[in-house]
Amino acid sequence: MEAEVRVVEVLDEREPTAQSALGLIVDTFPARECQPLAELRSELAEKRLGLLAAYDFHLLAALGRDDDAPDADDVVPGGDRVVASAIAVYLEGVNAGFINYLAVRPSLRGQGLGRALRRRLVEQLRADARDAEFDDLAWVIGEVRPDNEWLRRLVREKSAIPFDLTYYHPAPVPGAADERFVLYRQPVGDAREELPSDLVQQLLYAVYRRAYRVSYPLERPAFREMLAELAARDRVGAHPDYGQ
């Protein structure tokens, strides 16, 4: 049964809701997987100032009660707490939405908060696509660790397609190694099971350059390795082993 919450888009990095929502994300993910707090705050400031081009940044927060939480200074106006938060980026160049992070407070996991946030994110990303004059969003893109059971379930239900590609998550910490993850897509307006390799190459670049703000993807050995793998192929389908 889903917890009773209200989901809002946070538009100002200076507000307490933004501080709490971003803080929850940074506290949930290990540093080797998550952009620094200052960088995430800056992305929200850039959106507020109207500086973004060819993509859009979204921070959503689920506001509700957490009766198991001690009194703290993370109560937002209205008396609620941020009980879950998520970040997604619309990548206009490839007409795809990328979900960067989704975090739920540990005491409230399993109550449907993650599903509620994902639904709202997809609605917003589809609106972005229509604003960009596409008929609909092509896909929602995401990445998880190879042993992620949630993605395995989606693959069994045929609602997600893991790319048949050796994919590396870009490390946000200087000097850290890029780690093996699984890149997947959930079809929205484009249900093709295979994509041209050059389109997958563009998706990878958009994820690195736009979603994760990697300044020079081609300087990363892991990124060049992915491009070399794609150069030897015409098309990329579903991973043959994942989800079995």
Side-chain angles (χ1 to χ4, degrees), residues 7-22 43-45 47-48 57-63 76 82 84-87 120:
V7 177
V8 300
E9 180 163 13
V10 185
L11 300 173
D12 192 329
E13 79 287 355
R14 300 166 298 184
E15 295 177 353
T17 304
Q19 297 171 25
S20 183
L22 293 175
E43 292 206 49
L44 191 55
K47 178 183 177 74
R48 174 175 58 83
F57 177 90
H58 299 288
L59 170 64
L60 297 189
L63 305 180
V76 301
V82 174
S85 58
I87 288 174
R120 279 290 300 273

Side-chain angles (χ1 to χ4, degrees), residues 128-151:
D128 291 340
R130 291 190 291 271
D131 288 343
E133 299 186 349
F134 290 99
D135 291 336
D136 203 347
L137 183 73
W139 320 278
V140 174
I141 306 293
E143 55 173 30
V144 294
R145 290 191 171 277
D147 59 354
N148 185 277
E149 290 300 324
W150 171 80
L151 179 57

Side-chain angles (χ1 to χ4, degrees), residues 15 35 42 80 83 134 173 177 180 182 190 208 240:
E15 295 177 353
Q35 294 165 268
S42 180
D80 287 331
V83 295
F134 290 99
V173 181
R180 285 282 301 276
V182 175
D190 187 337
Y208 266 61

Side-chain angles (χ1 to χ4, degrees), residues 14-66:
R14 300 166 298 184
E15 295 177 353
T17 304
Q19 297 171 25
S20 183
L22 293 175
L24 176 58
I25 288 171
V26 171
D27 290 344
T28 298
F29 291 88
R32 67 181 186 276
E33 296 180 16
C34 188
Q35 294 165 268
L37 178 59
E39 188 172 301
L40 296 174
R41 187 183 297 118
S42 180
E43 292 206 49
L44 191 55
E46 291 168 9
K47 178 183 177 74
R48 174 175 58 83
L49 295 170
L51 301 178
L52 301 184
Y55 70 108
D56 203 353
F57 177 90
H58 299 288
L59 170 64
L60 297 189
L63 305 180
R65 295 183 57 185
D66 184 358

Side-chain angles (χ1 to χ4, degrees), residues 97-176:
F98 184 79
I99 296 181
N100 303 55
Y101 309 106
L102 197 158
V104 178
R105 291 196 181 277
S107 60
L108 295 174
R109 290 172 185 168
Q111 298 188 36
L113 295 175
R115 289 192 297 274
L117 279 179
R118 285 186 70 90
R119 283 197 298 268
R120 279 290 300 273
L121 282 176
V122 173
E123 291 172 6
Q124 182 58 64
L125 294 166
R126 295 182 77 177
D128 291 340
R130 291 190 291 271
D131 288 343
E133 299 186 349
F134 290 99
D135 291 336
D136 203 347
L137 183 73
W139 320 278
V140 174
I141 306 293
E143 55 173 30
V144 294
R145 290 191 171 277
D147 59 354
N148 185 277
E149 290 300 324
W150 171 80
L151 179 57
R152 292 183 183 277
R153 177 174 58 80
L154 292 187
V155 172
R156 289 193 296 269
E157 295 172 353
K158 301 187 183 303
S159 59
I161 303 171
F163 285 86
D164 184 14
L165 172 72
T166 304
Y167 173 77
Y168 293 92
H169 167 79
V173 181

Side-chain angles (χ1 to χ4, degrees), residues 169-185:
H169 167 79
V173 181
D178 298 328
E179 296 187 65
R180 285 282 301 276
F181 272 56
V182 175
L183 185 71
Y184 68 90
R185 67 187 183 278

Side-chain angles (χ1 to χ4, degrees), residues 66-75 81 105 107:
D66 184 358
D67 294 333
D68 294 330
D71 292 337
D73 58 2
D74 63 349
V75 176
R81 282 189 169 89
R105 291 196 181 277
S107 60

